[in-house]
Amino acid sequence: MASQFFLKTNKDIELFQGYPEFNECNHTSKDVQVISSVVSPCGRFLALSTKENIQVFCGANFETLLFETALVDVYDIKFSPSGNFLNTWERPSATDAEHQNVKVWFLNCEIDAASVTPVFQYKYKAQSNWALQYAKLDDFAVKQFPKELRIVKLDSRAPVFDFAKPFATLPADQDPADKNRKFTTYLVSPSEHPTICTFMPEKSGKPAQLTIWPVLEGKITKKIATKLFFKADSCQLKWNAQGNGILCLAITDFDSENKSYYGENTLYLLSFQGVNGTLGGNSVRVPLANGPVHDFTWAPTSRQFGVIAGYMPATVAFFDLRGNLVHQMTEQSKNTMLFSPSGNYILVGGFGNLQGAVEILDRHNKFKSVARFNAANTSVCMWSPGGEFIMTATTSPRLRVDNAVKIWHVSGNLVFVREFKELLKVAWRTPVPFKLQPGSSHIARDVHVESAAGEDLGLDPKCSKNQLSVHASVAEYVAAHPSRAAAAGGANGKGGAAAKPAGAYRPPHARRAGAGASTVPGMTAPRTVPGMTAPRTVPGMAPQAANGNANKTRRRKNNSNNAAGTSQENSPAPAPGTSAVSPEEKKLRSLLKKLRSIETLKQRQAAGDKLEDTQVLKIGTEDKVRAELQAVGWTGEQ
């Protein structure tokens, strides 16, 4: 692949070419420690900061120094979404109380390296939420003030950050009841017609408020969608790529049920249709398993999102844009979910205090597993821009031993490894999505993004599992660490985790989960009802009852066969991998499906959602459905 990636150590920055070369194309070494480094989202710039200065590089291999300026103690750097603005945060001065420690630099222009100056600067003491927020095309900037948000419109050629005369203002105290409240969290949507989502925590018995606002000139009073709820001291916000839906993870400091040290989690979904909500908005509470929310993320298509929630083993579930359940997997020890940039594949992994098991799912093939591998001690995991490779890394200070970066193919094969004594940061470089001015390596001619087709992202269509080129570093890594050979799924040319030897210890939950699995090579496991645990074939029915019905059916068939002069030995055997389902089992599955649908509607009704008349009538049939279930021998609970 053409996608590059960079690695940061204490004093070195190394840039590598992607698949299949994996050769080092640039190496920058400093005499002093590199405090912070970041690649712009557009892929045009690399910014570094030390205790003495900041440097910005551009070019095909970041070989060109765009400018360097003396700036002491820059501890954080952030780029705007289109990369036109660089924001730097310096440690507040102990001697100068009026020191303006946040500076904004404009990069999409011809820069005189000898006299570069910031286009805007202000004072901000905290190192959290210090940076301005920008719209997707860098044409709007938002800054928070004590009681309102101010929005300025920026000229792409000569931007002016005049927050004293803003383009629009968004007051927090629009309602007289909210006079002493303010926005604690806000996030600008990544759409060309931006909107802003704001959050106010509950206070003095008043519920928390989550609201989506359009960006309109003047004082903004129109609400696109809003949601009021309790149990929310803070929140995490995530927009989808189209900017018409946002997920809010509401977090409390304490768990009222005293089951968790980390408080309670609740997930809410706000969405709308049309530009700036012209076709209406919607707000729902996402139905999740009891327990903490480990991860939640949007699909690149913006029509689905995935959530990992519940006590370990956790539940992995996928929902549509209206919060309806699309697919749910069996419980497993996972806490990380990442959609590939193309949206074709989903990575589900268990990192941190889990074992590092990774599974790749095919979203277009009923979420079928296509590969498995083990990436133990992973602290960083991310897809390549083309969606064909996965980077996992063990970095310091999360772990100070076994620091390394590994790149895996989507088939589960390990294709590149590099070990470090101390690795601090890794990141992919996104291929530049803009058209650049002739003769310039950093000035975007226009702000519109080019087509994100696979070939534009550097995707190699000829690369497949059977033609995969594995770098020599993989063989060296396996030879140096024989005990980790099984974890490197591609070391032997076969993707997936290594099989356990016969007689190996298996924990009790694994024994139960595998009790009904087929032991005959080449034969698939017997069918089970989705969402239910093995070994029961029919959920909720005692094994004796299910076996009894099946035995009665067999006796009736045998009697008719014997009366016709046939024998059981001469009757054709069922095809391998298939299983006959009795009419009783079919009816039971249909009734259980209706009951699950009724339970989902009841949860939505309890959450305050408005149901259609047919859905209300469906809830009223619950007693009838349960009576029919008991009539066919259902003895358990849903």
Side-chain angles (χ1 to χ4, degrees):
M1 285 186 57
S3 297
Q4 297 174 335
F5 58 95
F6 92 101
L7 314 173
K8 172 181 176 288
T9 61
N10 192 18
K11 295 183 179 180
D12 296 337
I13 300 292
E14 302 178 22
L15 184 69
F16 281 80
Q17 197 68 30
Y19 179 89
E21 294 87 2
F22 294 112
N23 60 315
E24 187 176 3
C25 52
N26 193 0
H27 189 124
T28 302
S29 183
K30 302 291 182 182
D31 296 331
V32 294
Q33 179 184 359
V34 177
I35 299 177
S36 182
S37 62
V38 63
V39 175
S40 64
C42 63
R44 287 183 289 167
F45 306 105
L46 168 66
L48 309 177
S49 70
T50 65
K51 282 186 171 294
E52 301 173 353
N53 57 28
I54 61 169
Q55 294 178 328
V56 179
F57 296 86
C58 61
N61 296 322
F62 293 140
E63 72 283 359
T64 303
L65 178 62
L66 186 62
F67 76 87
E68 179 180 5
T69 183
L71 208 59
V72 181
D73 291 339
V74 174
Y75 278 84
D76 204 357
I77 301 174
K78 289 185 179 179
F79 279 96
S80 60
S82 293
N84 295 331
F85 299 98
L86 173 67
N87 303 261
T88 60
W89 183 89
E90 307 164 51
R91 188 171 61 183
S93 174
T95 57
D96 185 4
E98 300 301 323
H99 174 61
Q100 295 178 323
N101 62 317
V102 178
K103 293 178 174 58
V104 180
W105 313 79
F106 184 52
L107 303 181
N108 195 41
C109 64
E110 294 291 344
I111 296 178
D112 184 2
S115 61
V116 60
T117 57
V119 293
F120 182 60
Q121 51 188 339
Y122 58 96
K123 175 183 173 183
Y124 200 94
K125 291 184 177 181
Q127 197 178 352
S128 59
N129 303 321
W130 59 269
L132 301 178
Q133 290 195 25
Y134 300 84
K136 176 182 179 180
L137 303 179
D138 288 352
D139 50 351
F140 291 97
V142 184
K143 187 176 186 295
Q144 185 171 14
F145 287 80
K147 292 186 177 182
E148 64 182 4
L149 298 178
R150 296 183 186 177
I151 307 165
V152 294
K153 194 171 184 178
L154 302 175
D155 187 350
S156 60
R157 296 182 179 179
V160 177
F161 292 81
D162 189 2
F163 286 101
K165 298 178 181 179
F167 172 81
T169 59
L170 178 56
D173 56 353
Q174 298 190 14
D175 189 335
D178 298 331
K179 185 176 181 180
N180 296 323
R181 301 175 71 184
K182 63 179 182 179
F183 302 130
T184 58
T185 307
Y186 72 98
L187 190 63
V188 180
S189 69
S191 63
E192 294 186 5
H193 301 279
T195 57
I196 303 176
C197 182
T198 61
F199 171 79
M200 288 193 296
E202 60 178 307
K203 183 178 181 181
S204 303
K206 300 174 184 177
Q209 181 175 328
L210 185 70
T211 309
I212 299 178
W213 313 80
V215 176
L216 304 174
E217 188 172 3
K219 182 179 179 181
I220 301 174
T221 58
K222 176 186 175 182
K223 297 180 180 180
I224 297 177
T226 187
K227 184 73 174 177
L228 301 177
F229 49 88
F230 288 96
K231 293 186 177 181
D233 298 320
S234 60
C235 76
Q236 297 177 16
L237 301 176
K238 285 187 181 180
W239 282 101
N240 61 5
Q242 292 183 358
N244 63 346
I246 189 169
L247 291 170
C248 170
L249 179 63
I251 306 170
T252 61
D253 296 332
F254 302 98
D255 185 359
S256 60
E257 298 181 357
N258 200 25
K259 292 184 177 180
S260 172
Y261 290 104
Y262 306 104
E264 295 180 76
N265 299 156
T266 312
L267 190 64
Y268 296 94
L269 167 65
L270 270 66
S271 60
F272 60 87
Q273 296 180 352
V275 178
N276 288 340
T278 53
L279 301 181
N282 183 45
S283 60
V284 297
R285 175 178 174 177
V286 181
L288 300 176
N290 292 330
V293 176
H294 304 284
D295 197 9
F296 61 102
T297 183
W298 284 97
T301 59
S302 299
R303 295 191 296 269
Q304 288 184 359
F305 62 92
V307 185
I308 303 179
Y311 299 104
M312 288 294 171
T315 300
V316 182
F318 300 91
F319 301 85
D320 62 15
L321 193 56
R322 298 188 66 85
N324 299 317
L325 182 65
V326 174
H327 179 76
Q328 182 170 312
M329 301 174 62
T330 56
E331 295 181 344
Q332 47 191 301
S333 297
K334 299 290 194 299
N335 60 5
T336 302
M337 179 186 297
L338 297 170
F339 282 83
S340 66
S342 63
N344 296 336
Y345 300 104
I346 308 168
L347 181 148
V348 182
F351 304 128
N353 59 348
L354 300 178
Q355 296 296 321
V358 177
E359 186 173 7
I360 309 297
L361 309 177
D362 188 347
R363 191 175 67 89
H364 297 306
N365 189 14
K366 301 179 181 179
F367 299 91
K368 180 182 177 182
S369 176
V370 296
R372 291 186 178 91
F373 59 89
N374 186 18
N377 299 329
T378 294
S379 52
V380 178
C381 181
M382 59 185 73
W383 285 92
S384 66
E388 194 176 6
F389 293 89
I390 301 157
M391 176 189 291
T392 63
T394 303
T395 58
S396 181
R398 174 66 177 82
L399 284 174
R400 298 190 180 274
V401 296
D402 298 334
N403 281 196
V405 59
K406 301 177 183 178
I407 296 181
W408 313 74
H409 187 251
V410 70
S411 60
N413 290 269
L414 182 62
V415 295
F416 177 77
V417 182
R418 183 175 175 86
E419 294 185 278
F420 293 84
K421 183 177 181 180
E422 183 183 39
L423 179 63
L424 300 178
K425 188 175 183 179
V426 298
W428 290 100
R429 181 186 184 184
T430 304
V432 179
F434 302 122
K435 291 182 179 179
L436 302 179
Q437 286 187 0
S440 171
S441 61
H442 75 281
I443 301 178
R445 186 165 55 186
D446 53 53
V447 295
H448 295 284
V449 180
E450 291 182 345
S451 172
E455 56 186 6
D456 293 335
L457 292 175
L459 195 63
D460 184 2
K462 298 180 181 180
C463 179
S464 66
K465 182 177 179 180
N466 297 327
Q467 301 172 334
L468 196 64
S469 175
V470 178
H471 195 261
S473 60
V474 176
E476 298 172 0
Y477 176 79
V478 173
H481 308 281
S483 60
R484 305 177 195 171
N492 54 4
K494 297 179 181 179
K500 285 183 175 292
Y505 170 76
R506 292 197 304 167
H509 70 273
R511 300 174 202 166
R512 291 193 297 271
S518 171
T519 57
V520 181
M523 182 174 289
T524 58
R527 289 185 179 180
T528 58
V529 178
M532 297 297 176
T533 56
R536 292 182 179 178
T537 304
V538 182
M541 180 179 288
Q544 297 86 347
N547 294 336
N549 291 335
N551 291 335
K552 290 178 182 178
T553 304
R554 290 195 200 96
R555 284 197 293 270
R556 286 197 297 268
K557 289 182 178 179
N558 290 338
N559 291 337
S560 79
N561 289 339
N562 292 335
T566 60
S567 64
Q568 186 176 358
E569 288 79 3
N570 295 330
S571 60
T578 62
S579 59
V581 181
S582 66
E584 293 85 355
E585 294 173 356
K586 289 182 179 179
K587 183 175 181 180
L588 182 60
R589 293 182 181 187
S590 177
L591 291 171
L592 285 174
K593 184 177 180 181
K594 291 181 181 179
L595 188 60
R596 286 195 292 268
S597 178
I598 291 172
E599 290 295 335
T600 301
L601 292 174
K602 288 171 65 178
Q603 291 178 1
R604 291 178 55 190
Q605 190 179 47
D609 293 350
K610 185 177 180 180
L611 302 181
E612 298 179 1
D613 294 340
T614 55
Q615 294 175 323
V616 176
L617 292 175
K618 188 173 184 178
I619 293 177
T621 63
E622 180 180 4
D623 294 338
K624 181 180 177 181
V625 173
R626 289 188 179 275
E628 292 181 4
L629 281 169
Q630 294 178 0
V632 296
W634 186 67
T635 59
E637 295 293 334
Q638 188 183 20

